[in-house]
Amino acid sequence: MLKGKNVLLCVTGGIATFKSAALTSKLTQAGANVKVVMTDSAKQFVTPLTFQALSRQPVYDDTFKEQDPTGIAHIDVADWADVVLIAPATANVIGKLANGIADDMMTTTLLATKAPIYIAPAMNVNMYDHPAVQRNIETLKGDGYLLIEPGAGYLACGWVGKGRMAEPEDLVVLLERHFQPKEQPLQDQCVLVTAGPTQEKIDPVRFFTNRSSGKMGYAIAKKAVELGAEVILISGPTHLPKPKGVKVIDVQSAADMYEAVIEHFDAANIVIKTAAVADYRPKEVSEQKVKKKPGQWMIELERTTDILKTLGERKQHQLLVGFAAESENIEDYAKKKLESKQLDLIVANDITEEGSGFQGDTNRVTFYFRNGDEEKLPLLSKDKVAEALLLHVGKLLKGKRHV
Ligand code: CTP
C-alpha cells in the first residue's frame, strides 16, 4: 500500500524522537518515499544525519537554508506529500498548529500542505491532560487533523499514564490503511478475537492446558485488520508473534480470559471465540509445590464459566462467532452449540482429519449459520479460512444473511 507514496514525516523534540528513526526505516522498507522535517528540539535528540541515511533524502530543518535554488522548500515539500505524519508531536507543535503559528520550517510546511495530516502526540501524562493541550487537540480535530491517540504505559519521565507515542509498526499499519481502497467490509467495526489455550494452575509449577496453538485466532486478528477493523486479541499463552496493528491482551486462565472479554465486550460489535478455553480447573490451587507421595494423586476439578454462553445471554448489538473442534458427530454438536450459546455462526472442524488438527497451518471447516445455511470449505490455509470467515461476517453485518 505504501509503495511509491510520498510520506512527509515531521519530527519534533521529545524522548520518543528515537522511535521516529525506526519509523523512517520501516516506512522506507515498505516502499514509501520518506522526507523528514525536524525542529531544532528534535535535533537535540537525534541528528538529521540519522534520518537522512534512513530515508536517503535530504532532511529539512531550516526555512532559510534552501537546498535547491530552483524551488522554495517548504512549499515544494508541502505539495510533494501524499500524507503527513507528525511523530512525535509535542505539546508545543500542537499548540502552534492550533493557533496557526508558522515560525519554522515544520510549521510553515504544515500550514502550506493540502495533504491529510496525522498527529501522534508524545508527552508526559499531565502535560497531555492539561486543559490547554486538550483544547488545542480539539481545535485541531475540528480543523480536520487526524489524531492518533497516545498509548498508556510507562513514560520516560517516570510517570505511568497516557502519553506514549504510538509504536512505529502501528503507525506503518495506519498509513497503509490510509492508502487502502476505501471499500473495506469491516471498516469502523471493532472485532474481539480470543485465541490459544488457557492454563489452569495446579500449583506454582504445574498447570492443565491443551494443544491449541492460537494460529487460527491470530490469523483472524491479522486479516480483520487488513479488512479495516479495529482488533482486540485476547490471547492465552502462545509462541506466536503479535500481529501488527492489533491490541493484544495476554491472559493465562479461563477466569482471566473471562474478565478480559467481559471488559471489552461492550466496545466490540463482532466477537470471534477461537480460544480453546479449559472447561475445568482444579478446585484447589496449592500455593506451594505439591510434593510426591506414595499412591495416587486425585485432583478435584470444577467447571469454568462458559464465556461464549455468557456473551450469548448478554449480547445486544454484537455478532457472535464460536468454534467447535470435534472428533465425532461434528454437525450435531456444532449445531447444538450454535443454539445453546445463541451464536450467529459457528465454525466446526473435525480434529481427527488430516490437516485439521490443533497445531497445523491448515484447517478444513464448515460454517453453520443461524438461519440454517451451511458452507463446507475445502482444506485451506488458516489465513484463507480467516478471510472466508470474515467476509461472511461482513455480509452478516450488512444483514444479508442475518436473521
Ligand atoms: N468457550 C468459551 N468458554 C469456555 C469454553 C468454551 O467461550 N469455558 C468457547 C470456545 O472459545 C469456542 C466454543 O466455546 O468458541 C467451544 O464450545 P464448547 O462447547 O465449550 O466446546 P468444548 O470446549 O469442546 O466443549 P464440549 O466438551 O462441550 O465439546
Side-chain angles (χ1 to χ4, degrees):
M1 287 298 162
L2 286 171
K3 223 177 167 85
K5 298 291 188 245
N6 295 341
V7 178
L8 182 63
L9 179 61
C10 292
V11 183
T12 64
I15 291 294
T17 302
F18 80 95
K19 284 195 194 175
S20 304
L23 176 60
T24 305
S25 166
K26 284 182 195 299
L27 288 170
T28 310
Q29 283 173 43
N33 308 314
V34 184
K35 287 190 178 178
V36 175
V37 183
M38 297 180 81
T39 58
D40 286 343
S41 312
K43 290 190 287 180
Q44 299 288 331
F45 290 89
V46 180
T47 65
L49 186 61
T50 306
F51 287 101
Q52 183 181 304
L54 291 169
S55 66
R56 307 277 164 92
Q57 299 268 7
V59 170
Y60 301 87
D61 57 357
D62 184 346
T63 332
F64 304 107
K65 195 172 77 188
E66 292 290 1
Q67 302 174 38
D68 172 7
T70 62
I72 299 171
H74 69 274
I75 304 298
D76 292 349
V77 172
D79 291 345
W80 169 88
D82 293 321
V83 69
V84 181
L85 171 60
I86 314 175
T90 54
N92 187 45
V93 79
I94 288 171
K96 281 191 197 175
L97 280 181
N99 291 285
I101 295 169
D103 62 352
D104 59 8
M105 177 69 196
M106 184 178 296
T107 43
T108 47
T109 307
L110 287 168
L111 289 197
T113 191
K114 289 274 179 215
I117 302 178
Y118 286 88
I119 302 181
M123 65 195 78
N124 164 275
V125 57
N126 296 335
M127 288 175 76
Y128 187 70
D129 285 343
H130 193 284
V133 174
Q134 287 302 316
R135 197 168 54 238
N136 288 335
I137 286 175
E138 286 311 310
T139 303
L140 289 180
K141 282 196 211 163
D143 287 349
Y145 290 82
L146 301 149
L147 183 83
I148 304 162
E149 288 274 345
Y154 180 79
L155 303 176
C157 52
W159 283 75
V160 176
K162 206 168 177 181
R164 276 164 71 110
M165 188 179 100
E167 295 304 321
E169 47 273 35
D170 293 336
L171 292 173
V172 173
V173 172
L174 185 132
L175 290 185
E176 277 171 346
R177 263 199 207 158
H178 175 86
F179 290 109
Q180 238 159 22
K182 288 302 166 233
E183 189 46 47
Q184 288 191 289
L186 298 182
Q187 193 154 22
D188 301 325
Q189 305 300 327
C190 177
V191 183
L192 175 61
V193 184
T194 69
T198 61
Q199 289 179 352
E200 308 303 325
K201 272 175 85 173
I202 301 167
D203 69 11
V205 293
R206 303 178 179 96
F207 52 78
F208 288 116
T209 189
N210 59 63
R211 294 179 54 225
S212 168
S213 64
K215 286 180 183 171
M216 192 65 246
Y218 277 60
I220 291 171
K222 189 171 138 233
K223 184 56 74 179
V225 172
E226 284 171 30
L227 296 179
E230 183 192 330
V231 182
I232 303 168
L233 173 64
I234 298 175
S235 175
T238 74
H239 298 289
L240 303 172
K242 294 193 189 319
K244 279 201 286 179
V246 171
K247 175 176 178 176
V248 182
I249 299 167
D250 291 312
V251 295
Q252 285 206 312
S253 66
D256 299 338
M257 186 170 280
Y258 174 82
E259 263 182 45
V261 169
I262 295 298
E263 191 186 328
H264 293 91
F265 187 49
D266 286 345
N269 32 9
I270 301 161
V271 180
I272 304 179
K273 289 220 73 241
T274 69
V277 187
D279 290 322
Y280 294 90
R281 65 170 165 240
K283 200 166 176 195
E284 308 281 345
V285 178
S286 172
E287 279 190 22
Q288 307 302 332
K289 183 185 163 196
V290 178
K291 305 298 285 179
K292 61 179 166 297
K293 298 185 197 93
Q296 292 181 346
W297 179 12
M298 306 291 280
I299 298 177
E300 200 178 342
L301 300 176
E302 64 181 7
R303 283 292 303 271
T304 57
T305 309
D306 189 322
I307 307 170
L308 196 49
K309 194 160 194 285
T310 312
L311 300 185
E313 286 156 5
R314 290 193 185 184
K315 73 173 172 184
Q316 291 175 344
H317 55 283
Q318 292 91 346
L319 196 135
L320 289 189
V321 180
F323 270 68
E326 309 290 352
S327 58
E328 57 175 353
N329 303 331
I330 294 114
E331 178 170 351
D332 186 32
Y333 287 148
K335 285 183 172 170
K336 281 192 176 130
K337 286 176 190 175
L338 180 76
E339 200 57 45
S340 67
K341 302 190 189 210
Q342 302 182 48
L343 309 178
D344 298 278
L345 161 58
I346 193 155
V347 183
N349 67 325
D350 181 345
I351 50 171
T352 63
E353 247 186 57
E354 178 93 31
S356 256
F358 262 130
Q359 311 271 327
D361 293 320
T362 56
N363 213 350
R364 190 194 303 272
V365 302
T366 305
F367 297 146
Y368 295 99
F369 295 88
R370 186 120 195 100
N371 66 357
D373 284 359
E374 296 177 18
E375 186 174 320
K376 204 176 171 74
L377 267 57
L379 184 68
L380 293 171
S381 69
K382 286 186 174 171
D383 287 342
K384 285 282 173 212
V385 173
E387 185 172 11
L389 172 62
L390 290 166
L391 291 177
H392 273 303
V393 165
K395 282 188 208 156
L396 286 173
L397 276 177
K398 284 191 179 161
K400 287 196 177 149
R401 303 181 81 145
H402 202 32
V403 287

